[in-house]
Amino acid sequence: MQLNRIVSFHKALADPTRIRILAILAKGPQHGQYLAEHLGLTPPTITYHMARLRNAGLVKTRREKNTIYFYLEELTLQRDAQATVNVIFQSVKNTLSGEEWGSEILDTKQEKEREAVLRNFFTPDGILKQIPVQRKKKRFVLEKMLEGFVVGRKYSEKEINEHIKTFHPDYATIRREFIINHYMYRDNGIYEMNPPELWGSGD
């Protein structure tokens, strides 16, 4: 994980209200009106905080009739928290051994490029405006939408579609892009994540 991404994760948590929201969602999904009433906040304030949490990949949404429910992305929360620990202790290990930080941590230029692409192609509440044509930008966007999926877990096509629809209505095209770019593979209608080492291996 890029160092800037870890920083973004902690910025999303750097507010007591957002931590309280995650604590509520840890008990189960809730809609914005409930969160506003429970926390004594206005709906616009809840919308602002949810946008920050969604951009960090910590929550996802699902519409049920006319109500939008927010869900905690527990696996993303655990992954990003563990990544912080890994980076800190890896830096200690590298310092003791006299090694330099790996290029994955130092490559802030690419991370800034990624963040710029995501800002351009996603709305503040995490909706994809359009699918990029340029391959590099498309991969940044696709990898953003992969957040929440776990290597080793099996997903039905319906689960994949529902996840994609929280970002963009053209779930069929994006689902095919997941396969074409080797982010996922499909077997008898069941999808699984490929390890990151295989991502984009068809380039």
Side-chain angles (χ1 to χ4, degrees), residues 65-85:
K65 296 183 179 179
N66 295 323
T67 304
I68 295 177
Y69 286 86
F70 297 97
Y71 293 73
L72 173 65
E73 287 281 21
E74 183 177 350
L75 294 173
T76 300
L77 175 63
Q78 293 175 345
R79 180 200 64 194
D80 290 0
Q82 185 60 49
T84 303
V85 175

Side-chain angles (χ1 to χ4, degrees), residues 7-203:
V7 172
S8 296
F9 163 70
H10 285 280
K11 284 183 178 179
L13 295 181
D15 187 289
T17 296
R18 292 197 281 274
I19 294 178
R20 292 189 185 104
I21 289 172
L22 294 180
I24 293 172
L25 296 183
K27 301 173 184 177
Q30 293 291 349
H31 53 79
Q33 187 63 38
Y34 173 88
L35 294 172
E37 293 175 357
H38 189 79
L39 296 171
L41 300 172
T42 63
T45 300
I46 291 296
T47 299
Y48 166 77
H49 286 301
M50 298 312 296
R52 295 294 300 271
L53 291 171
R54 180 163 178 168
N55 287 342
L58 293 171
V59 298
K60 64 179 179 179
T61 60
R62 179 171 295 175
R63 180 181 293 274
E64 295 184 12
K65 296 183 179 179
N66 295 323
T67 304
I68 295 177
Y69 286 86
F70 297 97
Y71 293 73
L72 173 65
E73 287 281 21
E74 183 177 350
L75 294 173
T76 300
L77 175 63
Q78 293 175 345
R79 180 200 64 194
D80 290 0
Q82 185 60 49
T84 303
V85 175
N86 293 345
V87 166
I88 291 172
F89 282 95
Q90 183 63 40
S91 70
V92 172
K93 178 181 177 181
N94 289 345
T95 300
L96 293 175
S97 64
E99 298 176 0
E100 297 294 332
W101 282 65
S103 59
E104 181 181 7
I105 301 301
L106 293 175
D107 191 8
T108 57
K109 180 179 179 181
Q110 180 170 318
E111 182 61 19
K112 288 180 179 178
E113 181 181 1
R114 174 184 179 274
E115 291 175 353
V117 169
L118 296 183
R119 282 196 302 270
N120 289 336
F121 282 90
F122 286 92
T123 65
D125 60 350
I127 301 301
L128 179 63
K129 301 174 186 176
Q130 64 185 69
I131 303 171
V133 175
Q134 185 179 334
R135 185 164 187 77
K136 188 173 185 180
K137 293 180 179 179
K138 183 187 293 185
R139 289 181 60 180
F140 285 144
V141 165
L142 292 174
E143 288 170 16
K144 173 65 177 176
M145 289 190 287
L146 285 169
E147 293 178 355
F149 289 123
V150 181
V151 175
R153 177 178 169 184
K154 298 180 185 295
Y155 298 90
S156 67
E157 187 163 287
K158 181 179 180 181
E159 288 179 296
I160 300 295
N161 293 345
E162 290 299 321
H163 178 88
I164 295 172
K165 283 193 289 186
T166 65
F167 296 98
H168 195 275
D170 190 359
Y171 57 85
T173 295
I174 294 173
R175 192 183 65 232
R176 285 194 296 270
E177 290 286 350
F178 285 166
I179 300 298
I180 292 170
N181 290 280
H182 298 276
Y183 293 112
M184 290 185 165
Y185 70 93
R186 179 180 55 208
D187 183 22
N188 292 324
I190 300 298
Y191 293 73
E192 287 193 51
M193 284 278 290
N194 282 317
E197 306 84 63
L198 296 180
W199 293 2
S201 58
D203 294 357

